[in-house]
Amino acid sequence: MKGKTESQHKGEITVVVIALLAFVVGLVGHLAGASYANSDSFGYLAAPVPLITGIIALVAYKVAQKADK
């Protein structure tokens, strides 16, 4: 069994932190979307959540790809 390199270990930790960030963004977007009927200001928070989550996923992919080399 092959051990992980230092770069792979740091990459995994970075991707986990990015995944937690994506979770928090999704949670805030979900709560803001659920509250959309009560206030329009929450809608402004919920609208860009899919774009932000997609950008976070792209960054995580690039970090993981760089760490794997």
Side-chain angles (χ1 to χ4, degrees):
M1 209 171 195
K2 183 178 141 186
K4 295 179 186 171
T5 64
E6 185 69 25
S7 173
Q8 288 173 332
H9 184 65
K10 285 182 182 179
E12 285 180 357
I13 291 173
T14 305
V15 170
V16 167
V17 170
I18 291 171
L20 287 172
L21 176 67
F23 174 75
V24 169
V25 167
L27 182 64
V28 168
H30 176 73
L31 294 174
S35 298
Y36 184 74
N38 297 332
S39 174
D40 287 340
S41 61
F42 286 120
Y44 293 121
L45 288 174
V49 167
L51 175 65
I52 293 169
T53 306
I55 291 170
I56 291 171
L58 180 66
V59 169
Y61 175 76
K62 294 294 185 180
V63 167
Q65 186 180 25
K66 185 178 179 182
D68 197 31
K69 288 182 181 180

